[in-house]
Amino acid sequence: YPPVSDSKSPVVSDLSPPEKGGGFTNLDIWSYYDRNTPITAKLIRYPDGSSEALISRALPVDTSHEHTPKGQGSTDHSPRNILRAKSLLRKKLKSAKMCYMLTLTTRANIKGYRETQAMVTKFLRKLRSNYDGVKYLGVPERQKRGAWHWHFAVDQRLDVNLIRKLWQSLTGGKGSGSINIQPKTPKELTYLAKYMTKDSDKVPSGCKRYLGSQNIKIDEEKTTHDNLSDFLQQFHAEYQTFTGEHFITDNGSIWIKS
């Protein structure tokens, strides 16, 4: 929501965006913030050279009544936390430079989510013991027959025979489970985040919506600025040819994506 204009804190409409680059020339966000409104910015830089920033007014927020679950994929299934987990998964996928898709399926029609998740968790332990430093992010999908299978983005090339052996050692032996490994671009793999909302209502309460390795780091920088213009000038200095997009969120924050 935009701040209310008054004589002490006028809404600024004459703040001129940087002259170079096309990204800021048509922004309509200037009237949302004034020269006296301090802001906080979270800037994320990705390995492919793209970036995104979330800009919010630096107002005190009471979070004493909120609880943010920790771990791999929030177990809180409220719409707000589902979207938050989906956003975090997308950022991790872009940050980890994933290049392969691994799909795990069981021959048996196992409809119990907890049973398949426990099986997958054991498989991931075996994966880590065979591939040092492997990075992975996986989401469940429910098949038409009712069984669950898992899609994983992985950053290393995997041996098909070894992975099949590891998976079938948990699913019941030869022929009890199948695997599929395909090379994918990092951009193609970001669609995994969409599965977060597709079957989220079918994931039992208290269970993880995705599984991921702990060695994925997001290059995020948090800064404070006197006003919006101060941050945008610094952002444009780093991305002089910025031609990306910007969005106004429901709470009045600004999301800039290159």
Side-chain angles (χ1 to χ4, degrees):
Y1 49 89
V4 178
S5 175
D6 55 39
S7 58
K8 294 182 180 180
S9 180
V11 173
V12 175
S13 60
D14 61 346
L15 282 176
S16 300
E19 295 179 359
K20 296 181 180 180
F24 291 137
T25 56
N26 296 317
L27 288 182
D28 57 2
I29 61 180
W30 305 95
S31 61
Y32 273 68
Y33 295 78
D34 57 52
R35 298 183 190 274
N36 300 318
T37 303
I39 60 104
T40 59
K42 295 180 181 179
L43 176 62
I44 299 177
R45 300 177 179 87
Y46 294 112
D48 62 1
S50 63
S51 65
E52 63 183 75
L54 181 65
I55 308 166
S56 305
R57 289 183 294 278
L59 300 175
V61 178
D62 179 15
T63 59
S64 60
H65 62 288
E66 298 182 355
H67 173 65
T68 303
K70 299 179 180 180
Q72 301 174 358
S74 172
T75 59
D76 183 342
H77 294 282
S78 66
R80 178 180 179 182
N81 278 286
I82 290 175
L83 291 177
R84 182 183 300 169
K86 179 181 177 181
S87 176
L88 180 59
L89 177 61
R90 179 186 61 80
K91 293 173 183 176
K92 287 184 175 182
L93 284 166
K94 290 196 66 176
S95 298
K97 300 176 68 173
M98 303 297 195
C99 50
Y100 290 94
M101 164 82 82
L102 166 64
T103 302
L104 303 173
T105 308
T106 59
R107 183 175 181 179
N109 189 13
I110 304 175
K111 298 181 180 180
Y113 183 85
R114 289 182 173 85
E115 183 178 354
T116 55
Q117 180 178 301
M119 196 180 301
V120 170
T121 300
K122 292 178 181 178
F123 167 80
L124 293 174
R125 294 196 193 103
K126 293 177 178 289
L127 180 69
R128 292 193 300 270
S129 66
N130 284 274
Y131 291 90
D132 186 43
V134 64
K135 296 178 182 177
Y136 56 83
L137 288 164
V139 293
E141 181 187 20
R142 194 159 193 180
Q143 299 174 299
K144 291 183 179 180
R145 60 177 178 151
W148 292 92
H149 67 170
W150 285 74
H151 301 284
F152 279 89
V154 187
D155 74 329
Q156 295 185 25
R157 184 175 181 177
L158 305 176
D159 182 277
V160 174
N161 293 325
L162 174 60
I163 296 302
R164 182 182 294 112
K165 180 180 179 181
L166 295 178
W167 178 235
Q168 291 184 348
S169 69
L170 298 167
T171 57
K174 186 176 181 179
S176 61
S178 62
I179 62 120
N180 184 273
I181 302 174
Q182 294 183 354
K184 297 286 185 178
T185 65
K187 185 176 181 179
E188 289 174 328
L189 288 168
T190 56
Y191 82 88
L192 284 179
K194 294 182 180 179
Y195 285 115
M196 187 72 70
T197 53
K198 178 183 176 182
D199 290 321
S200 61
D201 60 328
K202 302 180 181 70
V203 176
S205 177
C207 293
K208 306 293 185 182
R209 284 190 299 274
Y210 73 90
L211 297 174
S213 56
Q214 299 292 335
N215 57 350
I216 298 175
K217 306 300 181 183
I218 299 176
D219 183 8
E220 181 178 82
E221 178 185 3
K222 298 180 181 180
T223 56
T224 58
H225 303 267
D226 292 336
N227 52 49
L228 175 63
S229 180
D230 179 44
F231 169 77
L232 291 180
Q233 293 289 345
Q234 292 185 31
F235 184 86
H236 190 271
E238 182 171 348
Y239 300 94
Q240 295 185 14
T241 58
F242 173 77
T243 56
E245 304 172 278
H246 82 282
F247 307 89
I248 305 297
T249 65
D250 291 340
N251 65 358
S253 299
I254 302 166
W255 180 34
I256 296 177
K257 182 179 73 169
S258 66

